[in-house]
Amino acid sequence: MGDGADRGLDGDPEGVWSPDIEQSFQEALAIYPPCGRRKIILSDEGKMYGRNELIARYIKLRTGKTRTRKQVSSHIQVLARKRVREYQTSIKVSSHLQVLAKRKSRDIQSKLKAMNLDQVSKDKALQTVANLSSAQIVSASVMKAQTPFPPPVRFWPGPLPGQPGHSQDIKPFAQPPFTTIPAPVPAPISYEALPPPRPAAISAPVWQDRTIASAKLRLLEFSAFMERQRDRETYKHLFVHIGPSNPGYNGPVLESIDVRQIYDKFSEKKGGLKELYEKGPHNAFFLVKFWADLSSDIEEGSGVFYGVSSQYSGAENITISVSTKVCSFGKQVVEKVETEYAHLEGGKYMFRIHRSPMCEYMINFIHKLKHLPENYMMNSVLENFTILQVVSNRETQETLLCIAFVFEVSTSEHGAQYHVYRLVND
C-alpha cells in the first residue's frame, strides 16, 4: 500500500516530479549528453561523475531539492518508454495511411485510364498523383466526372495571416488549352479545403488558462529596466521582461503549483499571499519564475534611470490599485502602491503604468547583487528574495490579479527568461 502511494504517473517510482524539478531535469539532459559508462570530471571540483549523478547534482543546485542517481535513472526510463509508445503509435498511423493511400491511388489511376483524355494529360495527371503524400491522397474527395479542371489546390479557405494572396500547397499539372481536348472534360482529382480546427465549445477567451489573466483582468506586458541617455541616444537594459503573447486554443495551458509551497516566502501579515488566496478568486493567482539578466553594459552612476513598466487590459471601466511588496526571508521590507485609470482602446479598457521609478531599496539591492563574484552567490541571495504584486479594484477591493515573483540569475545568451505557473490549492 505504502509503495504504491509513492508512485507517480506511468509507474514512476520516485513520486511526483514538480514543474521546477522537471524543468531542471530537462535542462540537465541537454547539458550532459549520454556518455555510457564513462565518468565526467568537473574542473572546479576535481571529482568524477556519471551522467545521472550530474543530472541529480544539477537539480539540487537549481531547485534545492534532492533526487538520487537511481531516481534520475528511473525517470529517464519512464520517459524513454513513453516516447517509444508514442513512436509506435505514430508508426501504426503512418502504416495505415500508406495502406489507404495505395488503395485510393489504384482507384484514381484506374479511373484516369478510363477517362477520355489525351495521353499527355493522362500522364501528367498520373505524375501528379505519384507526387502526392499518403495523407494528401487519403484526404482527396471522390472524383467528380463532369467538371472542368480544378484551380490550384488549397488546404486553407483563404489567405494565410500575414501572407499576400492565396496559399498554394499543391500545384497540379499545367492546364492544356481546352480547344485540344474533346468536351466534356472530366476532372482528374478534386480536393476539399480543410478548415482550421476550432474548439467544440468555447467557454472562455483563448488567453485564459494560457496567460496571466483572471476573468476580469489580463497582464499584457511587464518589465523592470535601467536606461541611460548619452549623445541623444537611449541605452536600455531589461532586468526582467514579460512580453506580449498571442496564444491559440491549441497552445499549452499553464502548469500548476500548489500555493502552499510558497507561503513561507511571502509575508504572513494582513494582506499577505495566504490571506489573499483564501479570499480569492483563485483564478487570479499566478507564480512567475524570472531568470534575471544582470549582465548590463550600461555604466552605473548619475544619469541612469531605473524603472518598471506594466500594462493590463480588462472589460470594465474601473480604477485599479497596484500594490508591489518586496519580501526578504518572508518578511515585507517595502511596499509601493500606484493607481491607474482605464483608457478605452479598441473595445477594451487599457491600464498602463509607464516608467514608474524603481524604489531606492531595489536599486541598492541590484547594485549589491551585481557585485557578487559568482552566479551561485547571487542565486543564494535571490532564493530568499521575492516580490508580490496585487492588482485590485480600488472601489471594491476585489483582487483582479495576484502575481508572486521568484528569481534566479540568467545564464542564457538570450537575456532575461521567465516561466508562468497557475497557483492552486489541491
Side-chain angles (χ1 to χ4, degrees):
M1 181 75 178
D3 186 46
D6 291 336
R7 291 180 175 269
L9 296 175
D10 288 327
D12 199 349
E14 67 268 33
V16 177
W17 284 61
S18 59
D20 59 331
I21 297 178
E22 181 64 31
Q23 180 175 316
S24 298
F25 170 78
Q26 294 294 341
E27 291 172 2
L29 285 180
I31 293 170
Y32 305 115
C35 57
R37 295 186 176 275
R38 292 185 294 111
K39 299 281 187 177
I40 297 173
I41 299 176
L42 295 185
S43 58
D44 57 338
E45 296 183 10
K47 295 180 182 179
M48 298 181 69
Y49 293 91
R51 187 194 188 205
N52 293 345
E53 292 173 312
L54 285 171
I55 293 173
R57 176 180 176 275
Y58 184 88
I59 291 171
K60 178 69 174 177
L61 290 173
R62 290 282 283 170
T63 69
K65 299 173 184 177
T66 301
R67 285 293 180 270
T68 66
R69 172 179 57 82
K70 290 185 177 180
Q71 288 174 323
V72 170
S73 174
S74 174
H75 195 51
I76 289 175
Q77 291 173 20
V78 167
L79 295 181
R81 288 195 296 269
K82 183 179 178 183
R83 288 180 183 175
V84 167
R85 289 197 299 270
E86 291 172 350
Y87 178 73
Q88 289 172 340
T89 300
S90 68
I91 289 294
K92 289 177 183 177
V93 172
S94 176
S95 176
H96 187 58
L97 272 177
Q98 290 173 14
V99 170
L100 294 176
K102 288 177 182 176
R103 187 183 304 163
K104 197 147 195 175
S105 180
R106 287 195 297 268
D107 293 341
I108 293 171
Q109 289 176 19
S110 63
K111 290 180 180 179
L112 281 172
K113 289 175 182 177
M115 287 177 180
N116 187 20
L117 292 174
D118 64 84
Q119 190 60 42
V120 174
S121 298
K122 194 179 295 184
D123 289 343
K124 287 183 177 180
L126 289 171
Q127 183 61 40
T128 300
V129 174
N131 290 335
L132 296 177
S133 70
S134 299
Q136 290 164 349
I137 292 173
V138 172
S139 67
S141 65
V142 179
M143 297 176 60
K144 299 175 184 176
Q146 299 294 327
T147 55
F149 281 102
V153 180
R154 293 188 291 109
F155 274 45
W156 285 268
L160 289 174
Q163 298 292 332
H166 295 301
S167 169
Q168 300 180 355
D169 289 280
I170 306 169
K171 297 182 180 178
F173 52 87
Q175 301 177 22
F178 287 159
T179 56
T180 65
I181 303 175
V185 182
I189 313 170
S190 67
Y191 292 83
E192 294 177 355
L194 302 179
R198 294 180 181 274
I202 302 175
S203 58
V206 62
W207 35 263
Q208 260 189 269
D209 298 324
R210 292 172 178 83
T211 62
I212 301 175
S214 67
K216 296 188 176 182
L217 195 71
R218 178 186 176 192
L219 175 69
L220 298 179
E221 194 165 3
F222 178 88
S223 62
F225 59 90
M226 64 184 293
E227 66 179 30
R228 181 177 201 143
Q229 285 193 334
R230 180 187 298 168
D231 301 328
R232 297 184 180 180
E233 292 206 19
T234 300
Y235 299 86
K236 187 173 184 177
H237 175 80
L238 294 171
F239 296 119
V240 295
H241 181 228
I242 298 174
S245 62
N246 187 25
Y249 280 106
N250 292 332
V253 298
L254 297 180
E255 301 171 72
S256 297
I257 283 186
D258 194 319
V259 67
R260 292 169 294 185
Q261 293 184 23
I262 62 170
Y263 276 159
D264 61 339
K265 291 185 174 291
F266 296 89
S267 173
E268 296 184 0
K269 292 166 54 177
K270 182 176 176 60
L273 177 59
K274 183 177 181 181
E275 180 184 294
L276 286 169
Y277 191 86
E278 289 172 351
K279 182 180 175 183
H282 292 169
N283 67 4
F285 288 77
F286 300 87
L287 171 70
V288 176
K289 171 70 175 286
F290 273 130
W291 286 268
D293 184 5
L294 299 179
S295 58
S296 168
D297 294 330
I298 301 176
E299 295 180 8
E300 298 174 3
S302 60
V304 177
F305 175 77
Y306 291 79
V308 179
S309 292
S310 54
Q311 184 174 321
Y312 313 84
S313 71
E316 297 179 4
N317 183 11
I318 59 174
T319 302
I320 63 171
S321 174
V322 182
S323 163
T324 305
K325 301 176 182 178
V326 177
C327 299
S328 178
F329 290 93
K331 306 294 183 184
Q332 180 179 317
V333 292
V334 65
E335 179 182 14
K336 183 178 184 178
V337 180
E338 298 168 282
T339 299
E340 182 60 27
Y341 300 92
H343 304 277
L344 184 60
E345 297 179 17
K348 291 183 286 189
Y349 290 98
M350 306 296 293
F351 306 85
R352 290 187 180 89
I353 299 178
H354 184 58
R355 293 174 55 83
S356 174
M358 196 178 292
C359 70
E360 197 67 30
Y361 177 90
M362 279 301 306
I363 296 174
N364 291 334
F365 180 81
I366 293 171
H367 284 170
K368 292 175 181 177
L369 198 62
K370 288 177 65 176
H371 287 104
L372 291 174
E374 301 289 345
N375 281 354
Y376 78 88
M377 296 180 182
M378 299 182 196
N379 287 334
S380 178
V381 173
L382 289 172
E383 189 175 344
N384 300 297
F385 173 85
T386 57
I387 293 176
L388 187 68
Q389 185 180 84
V390 183
V391 186
S392 57
N393 183 320
R394 193 182 68 169
E395 304 302 323
T396 65
Q397 304 303 310
E398 177 189 5
T399 299
L400 304 175
L401 278 181
C402 181
I403 309 169
F405 296 108
V406 296
F407 301 85
E408 277 191 28
V409 175
S410 173
T411 57
S412 168
E413 61 182 9
H414 302 296
Q417 308 286 311
Y418 72 95
H419 194 82
V420 181
Y421 303 89
R422 180 175 292 281
L423 291 174
V424 298
N425 187 354
D426 295 332

